[in-house]
Structure formats: structure tokens, C-alpha cells
Amino acid sequence: MGQTIIEKILSSHSGQEARAGDIVVAELDYVMGQDGTAPLAIRAFADLGGKDVFDRERVAFVIDHSAPSPNEGVSALHKLMREFSREKGFKLYDIGEGVCHQLLPESGEVGPGSLVIGADSHTCTYGALNAFSTGVGSTDLAGGLISGKMWFKVPGTIKFVCNGVLPPGVYSKDLILYLIGRVTADGATYMAVEFTGEAIGALSQEARFTISNMAIEMGAKAGLMEADDKTFAWLRRFTSRKFTPVTADPDAVYTRVLECDAAKLEPQVARPHRVDNVVPVSGAAGKPVQQAVIGTCTNGRLEDLRIAAGILGGRKIHRDVRLIVAPSSRRVFLDAMAEGIIQTLVEAGAVMVTPGCGPCVGTHNGVPSDGETVISTANRNFKGRMGNSNAEIYLASPATVAASAVTGKITDPREFI
Amino acid sequence: MYFKGKAHKFGDDVNTDYIISGKYKFKTLDMKELAKHVMEDLEPGFYQKVAVGDFIVAGSNFGCGSSREQAPLAIKYADVGAVLARSFARIFYRNAINTGLPVVECDTAQIEAGDELSIDLEAGVINNRSKGTLIPVKPLPAVMIKILKDGGLAPHFRKHGGFNFD
Ligand code: SF4
């Protein structure tokens, strides 16, 4: 009987044949914490009796969620992280370097076949690199920091077969929003998902990250893809390390297989206050917005900024809209600058904020006011997510957000291309 | 493990942002302080309403969203005895066990707000004393029972010097 991707990765890291339902203790290739979770993990580290981290080269902390610090409480927690990482001798990415889920792939430490835990739910992003990476809490993180191991229940897998190729103006964000709308917010709880099919193969590596990033929004433990030439070409920009790709066996057993026709897809929007409250953009078009956000670990990559600039070039944002842009890393910021993208965005009226999470999680950088509507490229639109429970958040692709910033209301980006 | 208390009902997909908003969790490691804001976006004043040992009773996918461990901790520090739900989001479930907050998977449709419940986790049953009904509980994986019995992941590590599931 064949194995799924996650069964194979858990087998190779636990030294036993892992099948859905088994419990295994697996070796970790990399362990990551960010400023929302690491401070508690530092406390748990002491509580667990930790002295040193298992391997300094395979651990990193990232200060990205509230960066730079908006108040003294946050500053104290950042200081705690800096001191701890210095004392233990491992890497800390400080403010302005970017979002953890951009930095780990760019570090070259994560690739096909890797097993990674991160104390952040969107750690599933690296599934697009054919890695099993998953989000954990602070105590599991502390256990991983100390032992380099974690226990896992081997999940069953749902396979999405995405046929056809996305039409112009429709992006990977639209595809994943559509799939989440179809299976709902808990459609893959306790499960892994694999994304396959012509539509996935046709996407750039950057666009694929957006899909794996949002696997958690259907409850999934991992959002896995197979590696191809595009994956390896992308990795070669950052590392010369060799990775061994992991493919699913043809006779692997899936809990469920779902097909979709990507060629028929329209731009999609998730309406407040649920990520699975998804409609084609026509179902929300015309809704006035006061704030637009481009960035986050979902859609803050170079390609995303380029798509936005394609729409904003030579135009101005609507006078009733604030447009906030947060590149996902310093490297993305620099590349976008070299390409003239930042010039275009700022000329159109965008406000650039520090590479990192930006306003995504409501600590700073653009908290909306009561009764306001935000359209964002982020991955969550929960009530209060951006710091105000009396605001509404719509989620969409960078193209849809850029088009909406121009018109001042939710707009189908195909009107601009 | 035996618990007794009153039910406070919530719906499906209660996410960690609702349990404790990001705007608070970044500010402090003082869980008693965070606990004052627990569930406030869904039910303002919840912290005042809940008595020691009361239960949060919810639908499916409780604790979805971010991996913040402040979520189970804020519930625990608000003196909630246990969370009962039809299903839990994966990360929350692990975090709750790791930090010693009992989580109980069961058919919560049989429980109404204000019902008096007693729970016997070893026996795997809930007694809804207001309705006079018994509700079976989905058993925890063996690994989790082992961690819970040691009192959470920290005592488990201290006791065994690492993971020990043999
Ligand atoms: S950008 Fe948003 S979703 Fe991504 S890691 Fe940061 S806070 Fe989380």
C-alpha cells in the first residue's frame, strides 16, 4: 500500500513506517518562533527544564508581528527574545527583516522533504516547497527547542486536484479562497491536504506559497505540494543545498479526493467575519472600503507587489481610501525597489510600512475605526482581527485589493487588465 | 478527573482571536491580566459572568485560527474548568493538553446555556444534571492522557527528561 507525502516525511523522520492514525515521535529539521509566541515559549523552556537548544543552526526567532514595537509591553517581550537568542547562540531576525514565513524559505534551510515546526499557525506555508511544516503552540515549541523532536499523530490526507489553468485576472489567492469556501473552515481539521493538478503546476513558486499558507484556514495540519523545476529554481536563489523531493505514491490512500476546474474560476472574496464566507467578486462588488492592505505572509511577495503595481501604475488611489503596503521581507522590499514597483505604489498613494506582518494582526500599522471596511490580501478576516471588532474585513487577491483601492469600492480587477 | 459547573454556550468556529484578541496578547505575559479579556469580542463581560469551575460549551472547530497558547491559558486563568466542544482545532487541542486545560469532545447539542454539568473524564461521561441525561465523551489519544496524567508537557519533560511514550 502506497504512502501520501506526509506519511513519507513522517516515516523518514521517525525511523518507522508511518501510516494515518499512528503516533510517531519525529526528528525536526527546523524550529521557529515569532514575537507573539516565543516569549511564552521562553518561559516554557525554563519550565521544561531546558538548558540549551538542540542545535543552534536549526533554530530561529523572528520579530515580525509587532515590529517595530508599538508600546513598552511589546518592547519588553522583544528584549526577552533578543536576550534569550543571544544567550543560547541561535539566529534572531530582528525588526524589518520580514515575516517569518517569508524568511524561512528565503533562508535556504527549508526545502523538499524537510520537517519544520513553527509557533505560528501559518507555518504550513512551506508545504509549497514540499516540506511538512506545521504550526504549534509555545509549549510544543519549547519541547522542540530542547529536544529537536515532537510527537505527531499521522494525519489522513485530502487531495485537491485542480484541473485547467487559472484565467487572466484570477490568481492563486482566488483558488485557495474558493477551495476554503467549498470545504469550509473545519473541512480539513486534523488532516493534511495535498494540492495537485495542472493549475498548481502552472503557478509560479511564489503564487504556490499563497495556497499552502491558507491550508490552516480549512483546519489542515499541512498544505503540501510536490516539488518541480520551478521549486528547485526558486530554492537555488537562496541555497546550494541538496534536497530530496517527496512524491505521493500512485496507490497512496486518501481520505477524500476533490476536483475543481480552475479555468472556470472568477476572482473570489471572503466576506466578514469568516474566511470560508466566500463569494465571486461580483457578490461583494460596490461595497465601499476605507482601507486597503497589500502584504502579509499570504500575499506580500515580489510577484504580489508587481501585480498591484500593474493596476496602480499611472493611477491614484481613491481619496477616501488608505492603502497600506507591507513587503514580506527586506529582500522583497529591495527587489521591488530595484524594479521601480515601490515608486509606482507610493506615487499612486500607498503608504509603505516595515517588512513584516504589518497591520494583519491588529497591534499597529493601521487599525481601522468603528464601522470601517477593509479589503486585505491577508488570510484572516475574523472580527477584531485588525484590532477593532467594529470593523469589517474582506479578503482578496492583490489585484482585487489594488483595483478596489483605486475605485474606493470592492472591484473586479479584470476591469483593469 | 472530576469537574462540576455551569455551561456557558458558544457557537461553531470560535477562533483564538475571539478567545483572546491579538491586541492584548502581544502586550504581556501576565495571564491573569489576559484572562480579563477572554471571549470579550463574542460576549462582553464574560470574565465577570463565569464562576470558578464553569464550562465553555461550544460547537465544532473550537480554537481555530492562530497558534497562540495564550488562548487556552487565558481560559484556564479565567478559572474555567474545561472546554466542551463538538470538535476542536488541532493546534488549540494540543496547546490545551500541554498547558493542562481539559478539553472534552462530545455532542454539545444536548447542552443548553445554564445547564449544571458534572464530568467524569476517566469514566468518559458527562452528566447533564439539569436535563437528567448522560452524554458520552470521545476518549483522548493515549499520548495525551500520558501528558495530562503527568500534569502537562512541562512536568512530563521534567519527569522523563524528554518525551516518553513507552
Ligand atoms: S502576516 Fe499575519 S497571518 Fe502572517 S504570520 Fe504575520 S500575523 Fe500571522
Side-chain angles (χ1 to χ4, degrees), chain A residues 34 64-65 99-101 120 122 213 296-298 356-357 360-361 378-380 385:
Chain A
Q34 39 86 341
D64 57 354
H65 277 59
V99 190
C100 50
H101 305 312
D120 187 280
H122 293 102
N213 174 269
T296 80
C297 58
T298 318
C357 299
C360 181
V361 72
N379 45 39
R380 291 201 174 123
R385 171 75 182 179

Side-chain angles (χ1 to χ4, degrees), chain A residues 176-201:
Chain A
I176 187 63
L177 284 175
Y178 168 78
L179 294 176
I180 292 164
R182 228 174 102 178
V183 304
T184 76
D186 65 347
T189 301
Y190 309 134
M191 313 273 279
V193 296
E194 288 181 14
F195 299 101
T196 63
E198 190 187 359
I200 305 295

Side-chain angles (χ1 to χ4, degrees), chain A residues 47-66:
Chain A
D47 223 13
L48 266 68
K51 290 191 180 56
D52 287 310
V53 296
F54 76 104
D55 182 347
R56 302 170 172 189
E57 303 301 318
R58 293 194 279 155
V59 171
F61 279 177
V62 183
I63 298 182
D64 57 354
H65 277 59
S66 264

Side-chain angles (χ1 to χ4, degrees), chain B residues 14-165:
Chain B
V14 173
N15 62 61
T16 52
D17 277 83
Y18 292 166
I19 297 169
I20 184 70
S21 165
K23 70 183 171 207
Y24 300 121
K25 75 141 176 175
F26 286 103
K27 277 195 197 145
T28 179
L29 285 180
D30 181 350
M31 294 303 142
K32 263 277 156 224
E33 196 51 44
L34 284 184
K36 292 180 185 155
H37 301 288
V38 74
M39 307 300 255
E40 73 175 17
D41 278 342
L42 285 182
E43 194 179 326
F46 175 76
Y47 177 75
Q48 270 80 33
K49 287 180 209 161
V50 70
V52 177
D54 278 1
F55 303 112
I56 286 176
V57 179
S60 58
N61 205 24
F62 186 89
C64 61
S66 93
S67 63
R68 64 192 67 161
E69 206 157 285
Q70 288 90 338
L73 284 170
I75 293 174
K76 190 174 144 184
Y77 279 81
D79 293 324
V80 170
V83 182
L84 284 56
R86 199 154 64 241
S87 67
F88 289 88
R90 184 190 70 84
I91 303 174
F92 180 89
Y93 195 68
R94 284 185 79 107
N95 288 348
I97 302 284
N98 281 341
T99 55
L101 171 72
V103 277
V104 182
E105 248 183 346
C106 62
D107 177 12
T108 51
Q110 302 182 39
I111 303 168
E112 278 181 287
D115 281 358
E116 296 283 345
L117 312 173
S118 57
I119 305 177
D120 186 339
L121 264 192
E122 254 89 14
V125 68
I126 299 167
N127 182 357
N128 187 338
R129 296 184 305 162
S130 301
K131 300 236 170 348
T133 50
L134 295 178
I135 306 164
V137 167
K138 193 172 158 200
L140 287 168
V143 176
M144 290 195 158
I145 289 175
K146 178 121 194 183
I147 292 172
L148 261 189
K149 276 201 173 144
D150 284 338
L153 195 66
H156 177 88
F157 254 64
R158 282 201 302 268
K159 188 165 153 197
H160 306 284
F163 291 107
N164 181 339
F165 299 145

